[in-house]
Amino acid sequence: MSDTALSRSERSRYLVLALPAILMMGVFFAIPLLQVLWLSVSEPRLGFENYQEIATNPLIARIWMTTLRVCLITTVISVVFGYVVAYAMTVVGPRQRMGMILCILATFSFSVLVRAFAFVVLLRTEGLLNEALLAVGLIHQPLRLLRNEVGVVIGMAHYGLPVAILALYSNLRGINAKLMDAARGLGASGFQAFRLVYLPLSVPGILAASVLVFVYSLGFFIIPALLGGGRVVMIAEYIRVGFEETLRWGYATMLATTLVAVVLILLAVMSRFVDLRKAFG
């Protein structure tokens, strides 16, 4: 049997093994997504009336601006702190590295709802953070860290940080440390070696982590609802209002469709700079 025939046979076997998962994705993902698209152009009547509100309804623009602003700040914070942690993981010993990875992975086992309530206890006026700052004399009155964008960003950055760390670490561990030694040997300072050699090589990881955290943040619902206290309305929560409170299903599915479109556009842009297969593991 030729190599070509053998490879075709192997591909056929893999396709048969993957067929149940493909069918499940079609039934539980593709079909509901098509229903969402259909509702967005058929409710309350057939046409693009719902999509016209994107240009005519200022509330949509304001909510999208809030969403993009909060997600951008969250992404910057997560990537900056994540870069520091990911870099530390590349220079510590194997045992310390494994401990750091286990701690990062352990954060995914905690429910987002539990985390959000924990931050409510931590950030409220009588919470642990304000009491600690008052006790050491850094502030003279409690800070308002809840029911505003500050609390939402803190909660979302806490959730996005592990995602950024893992995405960055997968890139940084592939950078040859000897390149830094070579730059130092040619007379560059430590900072120059990092800025001119290490940082440019880590740009694909920074881009991957940024897009992953940003896309991840777009769909946050529980954290903005609890930590924002109704004063910070993001697109995911506004979609829920359309479905459950105002019962404008066509309007809500239009918003959901635009959210999906934004995510797909970001992934398409990201694919031009980094390998998506490596970015998503």
Side-chain angles (χ1 to χ4, degrees):
M1 183 179 296
S2 65
D3 293 339
T4 304
L6 182 62
S7 62
R8 289 178 180 175
S9 176
E10 289 179 350
R11 284 198 295 267
S12 299
R13 282 202 299 269
Y14 291 140
L15 182 60
V16 170
L17 290 174
L19 190 59
I22 295 173
L23 292 175
M24 185 175 295
M25 286 289 291
V27 172
F28 295 106
F29 180 76
I31 293 178
L33 183 59
L34 291 175
Q35 289 178 329
V36 168
L37 293 173
W38 172 248
L39 283 173
S40 69
V41 296
S42 62
E43 290 287 340
R45 61 185 65 87
L46 190 62
F48 294 95
E49 176 183 342
N50 293 317
Y51 288 92
Q52 292 175 357
E53 295 208 38
I54 297 177
T56 59
N57 191 342
L59 180 60
I60 296 178
R62 187 162 62 250
I63 290 176
W64 263 114
M65 287 302 297
T66 299
T67 301
L68 295 176
R69 181 174 61 253
V70 171
C71 291
L72 182 60
I73 297 173
T74 299
T75 300
V76 172
I77 294 174
S78 299
V79 172
V80 169
F81 285 96
Y83 193 99
V84 176
V85 177
Y87 180 78
M89 292 171 62
T90 64
V91 297
V92 298
R95 182 172 299 180
Q96 292 86 349
R97 184 183 303 117
M98 182 58 63
M100 295 174 71
I101 292 175
L102 289 177
C103 291
I104 293 168
L105 294 178
T107 61
F108 292 102
S109 63
F110 295 101
S111 167
V112 62
L113 184 62
V114 173
R115 295 197 205 185
F117 276 117
F119 271 108
V120 171
V121 175
L122 181 66
L123 300 178
R124 62 180 181 164
T125 306
E126 303 83 9
L128 296 176
L129 181 59
N130 272 312
E131 289 185 353
L133 294 176
L134 288 169
V136 297
L138 291 178
I139 59 175
H140 300 290
Q141 59 183 6
L143 300 175
R144 292 185 66 255
L145 300 175
L146 285 179
R147 298 180 180 87
N148 52 36
E149 290 187 11
V150 175
V152 174
V153 168
I154 292 174
M156 290 175 58
H158 175 265
Y159 211 83
L161 184 59
V163 178
I165 293 173
L166 294 178
L168 286 164
Y169 174 67
S170 66
N171 171 258
L172 298 185
R173 69 176 181 177
I175 298 176
N176 192 344
K178 293 181 179 179
L179 295 174
M180 293 280 286
D181 297 333
R184 295 292 298 273
L186 293 173
S189 64
F191 177 75
Q192 288 176 328
F194 173 81
R195 181 174 61 87
L196 298 175
V197 178
Y198 198 87
L199 185 60
L201 292 174
S202 63
V203 167
I206 294 174
L207 291 175
S210 299
V211 175
L212 286 174
V213 174
F214 191 85
V215 169
Y216 209 49
S217 302
L218 284 173
F220 274 120
F221 163 68
I222 295 177
I223 291 178
L226 290 178
L227 301 184
R231 297 183 180 180
V232 182
V233 180
M234 296 179 62
I235 191 66
E237 186 178 0
Y238 192 48
I239 292 172
R240 181 200 64 81
V241 171
F243 275 116
E244 297 183 359
E245 297 183 15
T246 62
L247 301 180
R248 298 179 62 188
W249 284 35
Y251 183 73
T253 51
M254 175 272 294
L255 294 173
T257 303
T258 58
L259 179 59
V260 172
V262 169
V263 171
L264 293 178
I265 291 172
L266 287 173
L267 292 178
V269 172
M270 174 182 172
S271 67
R272 299 184 63 86
F273 298 97
V274 297
D275 188 344
L276 289 181
R277 290 175 298 179
K278 291 181 180 179
F280 288 102

